[in-house]
Amino acid sequence: MGADEPGGERRTLVAGNWKMHHDHLQAIRTVQELGLRLDPGALARVEVTVHPPFTDLRSVQTVLEDRAIPLVLGAQHCHSDDAGAFTGEVSAPMLARLGVRYVLVGHSERRQLFGQSDAQVAAALRAVLRHGMVPVLCVGETAGEREAGETEARLAAQVAAAADGLTVEQIAGMVVAYEPIWAIGTGATATADDAQRACAHIRARLGDLSSPEAAAATRILYGGSVNPDNTAALVAGPDVGGVLVGGASLDAASFSDIVSAAATVRRSSRR
Ligand code: PEP
């Protein structure tokens, strides 16, 4: 499925990050149920991805293909090298061969729990691009940085570290997810105004690194305790092109409700 509506408007992107949840049998059941629940009218306006654990990818890919379920396959992470002595890691070409389209890069859990550095994030992002997939670059500030008034500086630094040196086409084609760390898995959501302000700031910094036209095309998502009740308000921000959903994407009912809520927002002058 393409990223845009037939009318030329950019489709909202709703991405489900399953983290380390759902074995391959649970994953199969979840995507089958999503296939039954997702409203075709909503899918005309919303592109939906699921990012299961690595061990589920082949099973999910097969079910999506066999049953023509209109979900796009995503992954949660990859290594920057194409192959090598990196025990426990998975490479971008391995994901591309499985039909993966979107790969999360630099999720805060990878950065905080597994020590992924800005340099490793930048290298993984380039590996994703090299193999024809779309990186979803995750950036966001800690609670302490927010309280110290450092949110914008933190976002600018993370965006520059990952995207400096990319071509304008690469910047236009990538996805960035603004994920304030204090909002991930906590039930504390950024206000719609805060999410819009942060996404606009990220877009401006991408414009500095490329061109305003390229940055206008980049899809920028909000992530952090998104649920069916707060989705429409968050997605209403003109710079917010969709949502990255963790916990609420594990259950087919709540995830399909989020997709339906996102589809209620008209995107006339939206990015
Ligand atoms: C995430 O994992 O990227 C995320 C936003 O999680 P949650 O929706 O559970 O806060």
PDB file of all heavy atoms in Angstrom, residues 17 19 107 109 179 183-186 223-226 244-248, ligand 1:
ATOM      1  N   ASN A  17       3.983  -0.973  17.960  1.00  0.00           N
ATOM      2  CA  ASN A  17       5.237  -1.559  18.439  1.00  0.00           C
ATOM      3  C   ASN A  17       4.909  -2.565  19.533  1.00  0.00           C
ATOM      4  O   ASN A  17       4.543  -2.177  20.643  1.00  0.00           O
ATOM      5  CB  ASN A  17       6.144  -0.444  18.982  1.00  0.00           C
ATOM      6  CG  ASN A  17       7.379  -0.997  19.664  1.00  0.00           C
ATOM      7  OD1 ASN A  17       7.763  -2.147  19.440  1.00  0.00           O
ATOM      8  ND2 ASN A  17       8.015  -0.184  20.496  1.00  0.00           N
ATOM      9  N   LYS A  19       6.922  -4.533  21.048  1.00  0.00           N
ATOM     10  CA  LYS A  19       8.035  -4.752  21.991  1.00  0.00           C
ATOM     11  C   LYS A  19       8.264  -6.260  22.163  1.00  0.00           C
ATOM     12  O   LYS A  19       8.123  -7.005  21.207  1.00  0.00           O
ATOM     13  CB  LYS A  19       7.758  -4.062  23.326  1.00  0.00           C
ATOM     14  CG  LYS A  19       7.295  -2.618  23.158  1.00  0.00           C
ATOM     15  CD  LYS A  19       7.325  -1.846  24.440  1.00  0.00           C
ATOM     16  CE  LYS A  19       6.677  -0.496  24.234  1.00  0.00           C
ATOM     17  NZ  LYS A  19       7.099   0.489  25.219  1.00  0.00           N
ATOM     18  N   HIS A 107      14.768   3.431  19.178  1.00  0.00           N
ATOM     19  CA  HIS A 107      13.708   3.497  20.197  1.00  0.00           C
ATOM     20  C   HIS A 107      14.369   3.766  21.558  1.00  0.00           C
ATOM     21  O   HIS A 107      15.464   3.265  21.836  1.00  0.00           O
ATOM     22  CB  HIS A 107      12.922   2.193  20.219  1.00  0.00           C
ATOM     23  CG  HIS A 107      11.688   2.273  21.070  1.00  0.00           C
ATOM     24  ND1 HIS A 107      11.739   2.180  22.438  1.00  0.00           N
ATOM     25  CD2 HIS A 107      10.392   2.478  20.749  1.00  0.00           C
ATOM     26  CE1 HIS A 107      10.507   2.304  22.916  1.00  0.00           C
ATOM     27  NE2 HIS A 107       9.675   2.489  21.914  1.00  0.00           N
ATOM     28  N   GLU A 109      13.960   2.581  24.363  1.00  0.00           N
ATOM     29  CA  GLU A 109      14.331   1.387  25.140  1.00  0.00           C
ATOM     30  C   GLU A 109      15.652   0.804  24.633  1.00  0.00           C
ATOM     31  O   GLU A 109      16.448   0.275  25.414  1.00  0.00           O
ATOM     32  CB  GLU A 109      13.186   0.371  25.099  1.00  0.00           C
ATOM     33  CG  GLU A 109      12.033   0.834  25.980  1.00  0.00           C
ATOM     34  CD  GLU A 109      10.669   0.320  25.597  1.00  0.00           C
ATOM     35  OE1 GLU A 109      10.569  -0.635  24.814  1.00  0.00           O
ATOM     36  OE2 GLU A 109       9.674   0.907  26.084  1.00  0.00           O
ATOM     37  N   GLU A 179       8.824  10.680  20.727  1.00  0.00           N
ATOM     38  CA  GLU A 179       8.385   9.843  21.844  1.00  0.00           C
ATOM     39  C   GLU A 179       9.004  10.352  23.146  1.00  0.00           C
ATOM     40  O   GLU A 179      10.109   9.920  23.517  1.00  0.00           O
ATOM     41  CB  GLU A 179       8.817   8.397  21.600  1.00  0.00           C
ATOM     42  CG  GLU A 179       8.167   7.750  20.397  1.00  0.00           C
ATOM     43  CD  GLU A 179       7.894   6.291  20.667  1.00  0.00           C
ATOM     44  OE1 GLU A 179       8.846   5.543  20.920  1.00  0.00           O
ATOM     45  OE2 GLU A 179       6.716   5.915  20.676  1.00  0.00           O
ATOM     46  N   ALA A 183       6.561   9.625  28.753  1.00  0.00           N
ATOM     47  CA  ALA A 183       5.192   9.245  28.362  1.00  0.00           C
ATOM     48  C   ALA A 183       5.100   7.787  27.906  1.00  0.00           C
ATOM     49  O   ALA A 183       3.997   7.274  27.714  1.00  0.00           O
ATOM     50  CB  ALA A 183       4.696  10.160  27.244  1.00  0.00           C
ATOM     51  N   ILE A 184       6.241   7.112  27.740  1.00  0.00           N
ATOM     52  CA  ILE A 184       6.206   5.753  27.181  1.00  0.00           C
ATOM     53  C   ILE A 184       5.855   4.753  28.273  1.00  0.00           C
ATOM     54  O   ILE A 184       6.582   4.613  29.264  1.00  0.00           O
ATOM     55  CB  ILE A 184       7.549   5.399  26.514  1.00  0.00           C
ATOM     56  CG1 ILE A 184       7.789   6.325  25.320  1.00  0.00           C
ATOM     57  CG2 ILE A 184       7.561   3.945  26.083  1.00  0.00           C
ATOM     58  CD1 ILE A 184       9.069   6.040  24.568  1.00  0.00           C
ATOM     59  N   GLY A 185       4.734   4.086  28.086  1.00  0.00           N
ATOM     60  CA  GLY A 185       4.313   3.031  28.997  1.00  0.00           C
ATOM     61  C   GLY A 185       3.912   3.524  30.367  1.00  0.00           C
ATOM     62  O   GLY A 185       3.785   2.737  31.308  1.00  0.00           O
ATOM     63  N   THR A 186       3.699   4.813  30.521  1.00  0.00           N
ATOM     64  CA  THR A 186       3.412   5.378  31.841  1.00  0.00           C
ATOM     65  C   THR A 186       1.958   5.784  32.022  1.00  0.00           C
ATOM     66  O   THR A 186       1.523   6.053  33.137  1.00  0.00           O
ATOM     67  CB  THR A 186       4.268   6.645  32.078  1.00  0.00           C
ATOM     68  OG1 THR A 186       3.934   7.614  31.060  1.00  0.00           O
ATOM     69  CG2 THR A 186       5.749   6.326  32.014  1.00  0.00           C
ATOM     70  N   GLY A 223       4.387   9.411  19.871  1.00  0.00           N
ATOM     71  CA  GLY A 223       4.253   8.148  20.597  1.00  0.00           C
ATOM     72  C   GLY A 223       4.411   8.355  22.080  1.00  0.00           C
ATOM     73  O   GLY A 223       5.241   9.179  22.516  1.00  0.00           O
ATOM     74  N   GLY A 224       3.623   7.633  22.871  1.00  0.00           N
ATOM     75  CA  GLY A 224       3.697   7.726  24.328  1.00  0.00           C
ATOM     76  C   GLY A 224       2.316   7.641  24.925  1.00  0.00           C
ATOM     77  O   GLY A 224       1.581   8.625  24.941  1.00  0.00           O
ATOM     78  N   SER A 225       1.941   6.411  25.357  1.00  0.00           N
ATOM     79  CA  SER A 225       0.640   6.189  26.004  1.00  0.00           C
ATOM     80  C   SER A 225      -0.538   6.617  25.129  1.00  0.00           C
ATOM     81  O   SER A 225      -1.521   7.177  25.635  1.00  0.00           O
ATOM     82  CB  SER A 225       0.602   6.869  27.378  1.00  0.00           C
ATOM     83  OG  SER A 225       1.587   6.306  28.227  1.00  0.00           O
ATOM     84  N   VAL A 226      -0.426   6.358  23.841  1.00  0.00           N
ATOM     85  CA  VAL A 226      -1.555   6.611  22.938  1.00  0.00           C
ATOM     86  C   VAL A 226      -2.630   5.557  23.197  1.00  0.00           C
ATOM     87  O   VAL A 226      -2.333   4.383  23.416  1.00  0.00           O
ATOM     88  CB  VAL A 226      -1.086   6.568  21.465  1.00  0.00           C
ATOM     89  CG1 VAL A 226      -2.277   6.616  20.507  1.00  0.00           C
ATOM     90  CG2 VAL A 226      -0.122   7.712  21.188  1.00  0.00           C
ATOM     91  N   LEU A 244       2.705   6.345  17.069  1.00  0.00           N
ATOM     92  CA  LEU A 244       3.421   5.101  17.344  1.00  0.00           C
ATOM     93  C   LEU A 244       2.881   4.586  18.671  1.00  0.00           C
ATOM     94  O   LEU A 244       2.935   5.289  19.685  1.00  0.00           O
ATOM     95  CB  LEU A 244       4.931   5.355  17.411  1.00  0.00           C
ATOM     96  CG  LEU A 244       5.849   4.184  17.777  1.00  0.00           C
ATOM     97  CD1 LEU A 244       5.609   2.962  16.904  1.00  0.00           C
ATOM     98  CD2 LEU A 244       7.309   4.616  17.662  1.00  0.00           C
ATOM     99  N   VAL A 245       2.340   3.378  18.634  1.00  0.00           N
ATOM    100  CA  VAL A 245       1.562   2.862  19.762  1.00  0.00           C
ATOM    101  C   VAL A 245       2.252   1.625  20.333  1.00  0.00           C
ATOM    102  O   VAL A 245       2.543   0.681  19.587  1.00  0.00           O
ATOM    103  CB  VAL A 245       0.137   2.470  19.296  1.00  0.00           C
ATOM    104  CG1 VAL A 245      -0.724   2.098  20.494  1.00  0.00           C
ATOM    105  CG2 VAL A 245      -0.492   3.578  18.470  1.00  0.00           C
ATOM    106  N   GLY A 246       2.506   1.615  21.634  1.00  0.00           N
ATOM    107  CA  GLY A 246       3.073   0.435  22.271  1.00  0.00           C
ATOM    108  C   GLY A 246       1.983  -0.438  22.853  1.00  0.00           C
ATOM    109  O   GLY A 246       1.329  -1.212  22.151  1.00  0.00           O
ATOM    110  N   GLY A 247       1.734  -0.290  24.153  1.00  0.00           N
ATOM    111  CA  GLY A 247       0.819  -1.181  24.874  1.00  0.00           C
ATOM    112  C   GLY A 247      -0.534  -1.375  24.213  1.00  0.00           C
ATOM    113  O   GLY A 247      -1.032  -2.510  24.116  1.00  0.00           O
ATOM    114  N   ALA A 248      -1.122  -0.291  23.732  1.00  0.00           N
ATOM    115  CA  ALA A 248      -2.478  -0.390  23.177  1.00  0.00           C
ATOM    116  C   ALA A 248      -2.508  -1.039  21.793  1.00  0.00           C
ATOM    117  O   ALA A 248      -3.587  -1.238  21.237  1.00  0.00           O
ATOM    118  CB  ALA A 248      -3.115   1.010  23.126  1.00  0.00           C
TER     119      ALA A 248
HETATM  120  C1  PEP B   1       6.432   2.735  22.377  1.00  0.00           C
HETATM  121  O1  PEP B   1       6.807   1.658  22.760  1.00  0.00           O
HETATM  122  O2  PEP B   1       6.994   3.271  21.410  1.00  0.00           O
HETATM  123  C2  PEP B   1       5.315   3.365  23.072  1.00  0.00           C
HETATM  124  C3  PEP B   1       4.924   4.560  22.685  1.00  0.00           C
HETATM  125  O3  PEP B   1       4.733   2.684  24.101  1.00  0.00           O
HETATM  126  P1  PEP B   1       3.341   3.026  24.866  1.00  0.00           P
HETATM  127  O4  PEP B   1       2.317   3.336  23.805  1.00  0.00           O
HETATM  128  O5  PEP B   1       3.012   1.785  25.629  1.00  0.00           O
HETATM  129  O6  PEP B   1       3.590   4.217  25.718  1.00  0.00           O
END
